[in-house]
Amino acid sequence: TKMLRRTRTAKVYTEPATDDESDDIEELEEWLPNSNEGKTKGRRQRGTDETGEKKKVTKRVAKLKEPKPKAVRKPRAARVPKVKKEKTNTKQQTEDAVLPKPELQQHVAVKEERLSINLSSNNAGDMPDECPSSSQHFPKVKKEEPDDSFTFDEPAQKKQKTTNSAQGRPIKLKLGNSCVEDLQMNWDPIQVLAEKSGVEQWVCANIVQLFQEENTIPFMVRYRKELINHMDADAVRDVQLTLEELRSVAKKSRSVSQTLKKEGVLTSELEMALKDCTTADEMDHVYAPYKKGSKLSKARRAKELGLEPVALALLQEPQKLDLQSSIQPNTKGLSTLDEVATGVQEILADMIAKDKETLTYVQSLCDRSSVTIHSSVSKTALKEQQPQQGTQKSKPKDIAKFSLYIDFTCDVQRIQHHQTLAINRGENLKILTVKVNIPDRVKNDFCRWCVNVRWRPQGFARPELMTILKNAVEDSYRRFILPFLSRGYRTKLTASAEKESIAMFVRNLRQRLLMCPVRGRVIMGVDPGFHHGCKIAILSPTSQILHTDVVYLHGPAKHKEAEKLRHLMFKHSCQTIVIGNGKACRETEAFFTDLIKQRFFKPLDVSYCITDEAGASIYSVSPEAVKEMPDMDPNLRSAVSIGRRVQDPLAELIKIDPKHIGIGTYQHDVSQSLLRAALDGVVQECVSFVGVDINICSETLMRHIAGLNAGRARSIMEWKEKNGPFLNREQLKLVKGLGPKSFQQCAGFIRINPETVRRYTSKSQNTISITAEKKKVKGSGITSNQFNPLDQTCIHPESYSIALRFLSQIGGSFDQMGSAALRQSIESSVKSRGLDVLAKSLDTTPETLQLIVDGLTQPPGFDIRQDFEQADFKREIVSMNDLHDGMVVTGRVTNTALFGAFVDIGVGRSGLIPKRFITPDKLPVDQRQRSLALGPGERVEVRVINVDLQRNRISLDLIRVLR
């Protein structure tokens, strides 16, 4: 009997439903979250409680036979309150949806083992230390394949496809998890997070848990891939932002509830309505009538007069309702029958507007209709355009800038992101008036549905009562629901446009920061100018300042200045010139081009490039620049910055606020807090993924490493000044303020280069002082003062023991790291046995082993930026007059906007590739999933479509991306 019951139970979960069974299974799924938490947990984990199973089966059968729950029109409402009371049950469902039940106990054990890792220990025999980033090993690991589908009209919300990725495991949220307990809402935060972000629930649960453990995004993306299902940094950041939005809504819900409770107007229904909200708009809609600053709403005044029972009676027992009995001649609002009817109508309108099912229905009607957004010139702007009388000094509005949106209409489903931001800017400047147009058909269908279905009286209602109901429905739609829908559409469009604009900014910044550095060259940085001369700075291959000067290349003594330049270039063996693209750039470029054509610098083979100097002037007067170059004129600091931007773009550009680098669009029209968080995040990712030599990097660069901040970077610099260079990563634990968590987050991104240490270490006193400091601080002999070859790689210290065992398996050694022989040995081993089998034999995951393989096979000094584009160097100049329609040229993308990409084709003015010409067939396969698929620094082949010399504009068509 027991086995038979189990078989039947398994059938309910696993067998595909037939048409006859689908309704029953639907009902069972609705019922499942209400099951007894303790019994469910006991049955799933132990599987031996026969009594519990009998009760469970009995309840299940009894529930399936009940007809009423099937007819309820609000299935979600029944499930809402369970998050607070049955957290464990909800999480158990999440696990059951991902993992096979027989393996549940094994997964729980592994989870506890992983969380007990001691990152301060590197003992080879310690089992948790050997598989630090491991979850339960899954034999079939299949990485996510890129989706070839590509459309430019996709919404900004990116759906993260993780179904076919390597399957990780859910981390069970702890009982004290603030994500569940602190929210205290009527919905499951993990489920809502998954719905809003488009990521599976088990991945969301893992990400939330990782953030709770104070992990940084770079650390998660590189060292916890199996837990986040191989998501990239942008996708993880999207989940993080969505989680912060949900927390903000929950925080506002608690704040509003406390405010209303103090005012004595908080009812259980109102509290439930606040806890049902998942967005700020829904919260504002519920809270609006109770705001302290607003006057008492008509519905509340009617309720205070005692008309709420009358309104409820109209819906529940209309045949017994007598409005005449509510008339009170001496009371305002109840003195006549019309006033009573109006009060009842106000209460009904308020009830309708706050009903969740009603709002859901009207939203579905709008989704099936053509809703448009329309912009026109505002009355204020038109009034200011008229001739001014008297001596008014008000400046007229610049309507011409918004000529495209003077009479603009577009469907809300098809409007482009840049159009939304442009309309918002015009509205903020009081130049445009914006309106959302919802078809009348929506109102008619909505009113008919309310009267005949949702709010239909439960009995016979006389014509005068039906008139009150119909008027209440129309009034509710006009005063409450229509503004609510309009605000919702505007908010969604703005949020989507802001998100895409910030994403575009992030992509541009990432590609700008990761441009390949130009190493091994002496460079002359030139900050061009006319009257104040061109500022020059000659930099060594290691960015040391060799010489600074000012030359006047556009005056009468330019030939004398040319001789001065030749002398300096011969003296320092400089063959590379970097010119800023500011004022006088074109003339300075022509000057150097003429000298190169005349072979003026012979025998030096001189070439030059143009680089973006945006932000150089701001940096030159910043505290960082003053501290770095204290005795130098600010104008000369700009020339130094321009030269270093080519030598090492990442190290130089992180000194400047990303908003001043000259990338992105509409950065002043989006949420500044979101933009700042996103830009800080991408800077941290770039610095961390490239890696930093801790012994030579600047304090400014160090503070952007994952796990570090300004204070910890300062402490590291002070430790170096006192004790000398770091000899291995373990010595980072000796730095004051750098705890185990900070070490875990930053260690994998810090490099210890032996060559750098030898250059800076001249005496053995440093080693003695380090050892003494070690004993003083830690009182332990674990920290060594010996070099560790793995400290030069991307391998995390928590995986060193696995790397050692892997090397011993294949018969390799540290001396062979980065060599062709070791690479060949590793490749043959992986090919013969397979990465999964090798990982299993080492008690780790394929992701961790792949990272170890990469670290062992990459050559010393490997830089991920070597695969990115480098600055273009040239020896001649072309002008716009040389261009003609149909001409094919090559160029480099300088910036991307929401409407297209700007390309520098070497004529002193960037051309624009409109968005409609950037089609999937012209792009490499790996770029087809990105929003615009092009970014700064990429080389492209383009065709000239139109040259407008009068407006100084060039239109281009993309032919292909050059690799």
Side-chain angles (χ1 to χ4, degrees):
T1 304
K2 182 176 177 181
M3 293 301 296
L4 182 58
R5 287 195 189 101
R6 289 183 176 177
T7 305
R8 289 174 179 170
T9 304
K11 179 180 178 180
V12 173
Y13 283 98
T14 58
E15 288 188 1
T18 63
D19 293 336
D20 297 333
E21 295 172 342
S22 59
D23 291 339
D24 290 342
I25 292 178
E26 245 177 64
E27 202 167 309
L28 175 61
E29 290 175 350
E30 294 292 333
W31 172 84
L32 275 176
N34 290 322
S35 60
N36 184 279
E37 177 182 347
K39 292 177 183 177
T40 303
K41 184 175 179 181
R43 180 182 64 81
R44 290 180 180 172
Q45 289 188 353
R46 293 186 294 273
T48 57
D49 191 351
E50 187 174 353
T51 305
E53 286 192 3
K54 286 183 180 179
K55 290 182 180 179
K56 181 66 68 176
V57 173
T58 303
K59 284 188 177 181
R60 186 174 292 138
V61 173
K63 189 68 180 179
L64 287 171
K65 288 182 180 178
E66 291 180 4
K68 285 187 177 180
K70 185 177 177 182
V72 175
R73 287 187 292 270
K74 297 194 290 183
R76 293 189 181 91
R79 193 185 306 175
V80 162
K82 296 194 303 301
V83 174
K84 183 177 178 182
K85 296 181 180 180
E86 298 181 15
K87 302 182 191 77
T88 308
N89 188 25
T90 304
K91 289 170 265 180
Q92 188 71 35
Q93 292 171 30
T94 306
E95 288 192 14
D96 292 343
V98 180
L99 298 175
K101 290 180 182 173
E103 296 179 5
L104 182 61
Q105 292 180 348
Q106 191 174 6
H107 285 284
V108 173
V110 173
K111 178 249 177 182
E112 292 173 346
E113 187 177 69
R114 192 190 71 78
L115 292 180
S116 64
I117 295 167
N118 180 8
L119 293 174
S120 301
S121 173
N122 281 324
N123 296 335
D126 193 358
M127 183 61 187
D129 204 48
E130 293 177 0
C131 50
S133 62
S134 302
S135 61
Q136 175 66 25
H137 174 64
F138 288 84
K140 295 183 180 179
V141 178
K142 179 180 177 183
K143 290 191 176 180
E144 181 181 354
E145 296 294 333
D147 189 1
D148 288 336
S149 60
F150 177 88
T151 57
F152 288 112
D153 296 327
E154 290 177 348
Q157 180 91 357
K158 181 175 72 172
K159 296 296 183 182
Q160 180 69 22
K161 192 186 95 172
T162 58
T163 305
N164 295 328
S165 300
Q167 294 298 299
R169 61 177 176 82
I171 296 177
K172 288 175 62 178
L173 297 178
K174 302 174 183 177
L175 294 178
N177 195 315
S178 62
C179 179
V180 175
E181 290 190 346
D182 289 356
L183 295 190
Q184 298 177 356
M185 301 295 281
N186 289 344
W187 31 264
D188 180 1
I190 301 300
Q191 181 181 348
V192 176
L193 181 63
E195 292 172 357
K196 286 181 172 289
S197 62
V199 179
E200 285 132 323
Q201 287 194 32
W202 69 268
V203 182
C204 289
N206 287 354
I207 292 175
V208 170
Q209 182 66 43
L210 288 168
F211 279 129
Q212 285 296 116
E213 296 172 359
E214 300 181 350
N215 291 285
T216 60
I217 291 180
F219 178 81
M220 292 160 59
V221 171
R222 175 170 285 182
Y223 299 111
R224 296 293 184 263
K225 290 180 181 179
E226 70 279 4
L227 299 182
I228 63 172
N229 220 8
H230 298 266
M231 291 170 64
D232 60 21
D234 291 336
V236 177
R237 192 182 300 107
D238 286 345
V239 176
Q240 183 185 31
L241 292 176
T242 306
L243 178 61
E244 292 301 323
E245 291 173 5
L246 294 179
R247 283 176 172 156
S248 176
V249 170
K251 183 178 179 181
K252 187 174 182 180
S253 173
R254 292 193 298 272
S255 174
V256 170
S257 296
Q258 291 175 0
T259 302
L260 297 179
K261 189 174 182 180
K262 289 179 181 178
E263 296 176 359
V265 296
L266 182 65
T267 63
S268 58
E269 293 81 5
L270 179 57
E271 186 176 10
M272 292 296 291
L274 289 171
K275 289 188 175 184
D276 284 339
C277 298
T278 57
T279 64
D281 279 345
E282 292 178 7
M283 186 77 62
D284 291 338
H285 182 68
V286 174
Y287 179 48
Y290 303 95
K291 285 185 178 178
K292 199 169 184 179
S294 60
K295 61 182 180 179
L296 200 64
S297 68
K298 296 178 180 179
R300 288 181 64 186
R301 286 200 298 267
K303 288 179 181 179
E304 290 181 356
L305 292 172
L307 291 177
E308 187 172 14
V310 180
L312 294 175
L314 189 151
L315 297 174
Q316 297 170 359
E317 297 178 328
Q319 66 275 9
K320 298 180 182 179
L321 179 62
D322 182 14
L323 296 179
Q324 295 286 348
S325 62
S326 301
I327 298 177
Q328 299 178 15
N330 298 325
T331 305
K332 185 179 179 181
L334 299 175
S335 58
T336 65
L337 183 63
D338 289 341
E339 289 184 354
V340 172
T342 301
V344 173
Q345 177 181 314
E346 298 293 350
I347 294 175
L348 290 174
D350 184 68
M351 292 170 59
I352 292 169
K354 292 179 181 177
D355 180 62
K356 199 166 185 73
E357 184 175 345
T358 301
L359 295 177
T360 302
Y361 180 78
V362 72
Q363 187 66 60
S364 68
L365 289 177
C366 292
D367 293 342
R368 296 195 297 268
S369 305
S370 177
V371 180
T372 60
I373 186 170
H374 177 75
S375 65
S376 57
V377 182
S378 66
K379 293 180 180 179
T380 304
L382 288 175
K383 186 176 180 180
E384 292 185 3
Q385 290 297 313
Q386 297 175 357
Q388 301 290 332
Q389 297 180 357
T391 58
Q392 295 182 355
K393 296 182 179 180
S394 60
K395 186 178 179 180
K397 303 289 184 183
D398 192 357
I399 299 180
K401 290 183 179 180
F402 296 90
S403 58
L404 293 175
Y405 304 101
I406 287 177
D407 187 15
F408 175 81
T409 302
C410 185
D411 192 294
V412 293
Q413 302 294 335
R414 295 184 177 87
I415 189 170
Q416 300 294 315
H417 299 302
H418 67 275
Q419 293 172 334
T420 299
L421 294 175
I423 288 174
N424 289 350
R425 180 185 290 181
E427 187 179 36
N428 293 334
L429 294 174
K430 297 183 180 180
I431 295 176
L432 299 178
T433 299
V434 186
K435 182 181 179 183
V436 176
N437 297 319
I438 298 177
D440 293 337
R441 184 176 66 84
V442 172
K443 176 185 176 182
N444 299 333
D445 292 349
F446 170 75
C447 293
R448 191 180 306 115
W449 176 80
C450 285
V451 173
N452 296 327
V453 181
R454 177 60 180 161
W455 300 95
R456 182 176 181 176
Q458 298 176 8
F460 175 73
R462 298 185 300 278
E464 60 269 21
L465 298 181
M466 291 301 296
T467 301
I468 293 175
L469 179 60
K470 291 177 182 177
N471 291 339
V473 171
E474 292 182 1
D475 183 51
S476 178
Y477 180 84
R478 178 180 57 82
R479 284 197 300 125
F480 301 122
I481 295 178
L482 190 60
F484 172 73
L485 293 173
S486 297
R487 287 195 305 271
Y489 278 114
R490 292 295 305 278
T491 301
K492 288 178 183 176
L493 289 175
T494 300
S496 177
E498 285 188 355
K499 185 175 181 179
E500 185 60 24
S501 180
I502 292 173
M504 181 74 68
F505 206 128
V506 164
R507 285 191 293 270
N508 290 350
L509 178 61
R510 180 184 290 113
Q511 291 199 244
R512 181 66 63 85
L513 293 178
L514 293 180
M515 284 192 68
C516 184
V518 177
R519 301 190 185 279
R521 297 195 194 186
V522 177
I523 283 182
M524 176 188 287
V526 181
D527 183 7
F530 286 118
H531 303 296
H532 299 288
C534 296
K535 282 68 68 178
I536 65 171
I538 300 180
L539 308 174
S540 72
T542 57
S543 297
Q544 300 298 315
I545 302 173
L546 302 177
H547 182 81
T548 57
D549 209 336
V550 179
V551 292
Y552 297 87
L553 306 181
H554 311 297
K558 60 181 181 180
H559 298 292
K560 182 179 178 181
E561 299 293 336
E563 292 289 343
K564 183 178 181 180
L565 285 175
R566 179 164 62 178
H567 170 72
L568 290 173
M569 297 182 76
F570 282 169
K571 179 180 178 181
H572 299 287
S573 300
C574 177
Q575 303 185 69
T576 306
I577 302 169
V578 178
I579 306 172
N581 66 344
K583 187 177 181 181
C585 167
R586 195 67 176 162
E587 291 76 10
T588 304
E589 182 184 10
F591 177 83
F592 279 106
T593 301
D594 290 340
L595 294 181
I596 292 172
K597 284 183 179 178
Q598 300 169 15
R599 306 179 70 83
F600 184 76
F601 301 108
K602 189 178 180 180
L604 297 178
D605 183 16
V606 177
S607 61
Y608 71 92
C609 74
I610 308 295
T611 191
D612 192 348
E613 67 173 31
S617 300
I618 296 175
Y619 165 72
S620 65
V621 293
S622 67
E624 289 85 358
V626 173
K627 183 178 179 180
E628 186 179 1
M629 298 170 277
D631 301 324
M632 188 176 292
D633 182 83
N635 294 317
L636 295 175
R637 291 181 194 146
S638 297
V640 174
S641 178
I642 289 171
R644 286 177 175 173
R645 289 185 184 201
V646 174
Q647 281 188 321
D648 193 342
L650 178 62
E652 189 63 25
L653 291 177
I654 57 105
K655 302 174 184 176
I656 304 167
D657 188 334
K659 290 189 291 186
H660 299 147
I661 295 180
I663 55 177
T665 54
Y666 297 101
Q667 58 258 39
H668 301 294
D669 298 303
V670 302
S671 170
Q672 295 303 299
S673 59
L674 292 179
L675 180 62
R676 165 57 59 189
L679 296 182
D680 289 347
V682 75
V683 170
Q684 184 186 67
E685 292 155 22
C686 292
V687 173
S688 300
F689 292 154
V690 169
V692 171
D693 188 337
I694 194 70
N695 288 317
I696 61 172
C697 75
S698 65
E699 183 181 336
T700 306
L701 183 64
M702 195 185 303
R703 69 179 62 154
H704 292 290
I705 302 173
L708 299 184
N709 54 28
R712 292 169 189 150
R714 181 67 250 163
S715 297
I716 291 175
M717 297 298 290
E718 290 174 353
W719 194 94
K720 282 199 302 180
E721 292 171 2
K722 181 179 179 181
N723 300 286
F726 287 92
L727 303 181
N728 53 56
R729 287 171 172 169
E730 285 294 313
Q731 290 178 346
L732 287 167
K733 297 177 181 178
L734 306 177
V735 177
K736 183 180 179 181
L738 200 68
K741 196 66 187 180
S742 299
F743 176 80
Q744 179 200 35
Q745 300 299 306
C746 73
F749 307 116
I750 286 176
R751 306 284 185 268
I752 307 292
N753 190 338
E755 295 297 328
T756 306
V757 176
R758 291 191 190 101
R759 200 180 317 147
Y760 285 87
T761 306
S762 57
K763 298 179 181 179
S764 59
Q765 298 178 27
N766 295 328
T767 304
I768 298 172
S769 66
I770 289 171
T771 308
E773 182 73 15
K774 169 204 67 178
K775 291 181 179 179
K776 181 180 178 181
V777 176
K778 298 293 181 181
S780 154
I782 297 176
T783 305
S784 170
N785 59 355
Q786 300 297 320
F787 290 118
N788 188 336
L790 294 177
D791 289 342
Q792 307 175 61
T793 69
C794 61
I795 303 173
H796 198 280
E798 63 186 13
S799 302
Y800 280 2
S801 58
I802 303 173
L804 287 169
R805 286 188 283 126
F806 177 65
L807 273 176
S808 65
Q809 266 193 15
I810 62 173
S813 64
F814 285 145
D815 298 336
Q816 297 176 299
M817 281 177 50
S819 65
L822 183 61
R823 175 187 290 272
Q824 186 177 1
S825 177
I826 291 176
E827 288 177 353
S828 62
S829 179
V830 171
K831 187 175 181 180
S832 61
R833 299 184 59 188
L835 192 67
D836 295 354
V837 176
L838 284 171
K840 192 172 182 179
S841 68
L842 295 167
D843 296 321
T844 187
T845 60
E847 292 82 4
T848 301
L849 183 57
Q850 182 60 58
L851 201 62
I852 292 172
V853 169
D854 293 341
L856 295 176
T857 55
Q858 288 167 352
F862 174 78
D863 193 334
I864 63 170
R865 294 175 292 175
Q866 67 189 27
D867 296 329
F868 289 79
E869 297 293 341
Q870 197 178 58
D872 281 328
F873 293 95
K874 50 188 179 179
R875 294 175 176 81
E876 59 183 1
I877 190 172
V878 181
S879 67
M880 285 185 64
N881 295 323
D882 298 326
L883 301 178
H884 58 80
D885 295 355
M887 183 177 181
V888 176
V889 295
T890 60
R892 189 175 296 279
V893 178
T894 58
N895 193 14
T896 54
L898 296 173
F899 48 82
F902 292 96
V903 180
D904 179 11
I905 56 176
V907 296
R909 179 73 178 179
S910 293
L912 174 67
I913 307 177
K915 187 176 180 180
R916 65 181 182 275
F917 292 135
I918 309 175
T919 54
D921 56 298
K922 301 175 182 178
L923 301 169
V925 176
D926 59 340
Q927 290 184 221
R928 295 181 182 178
Q929 277 190 297
R930 285 159 41 186
S931 175
L932 192 59
L934 288 177
E938 293 189 279
R939 295 187 66 243
V940 292
E941 187 176 41
V942 294
R943 179 181 292 106
V944 178
I945 299 176
N946 182 45
V947 181
D948 189 342
L949 295 175
Q950 184 176 0
R951 300 173 69 191
N952 204 24
R953 292 185 176 179
I954 307 168
S955 298
L956 304 171
D957 179 16
L958 176 65
I959 298 177
R960 62 192 176 104
V961 178
L962 301 175
R963 290 290 178 89

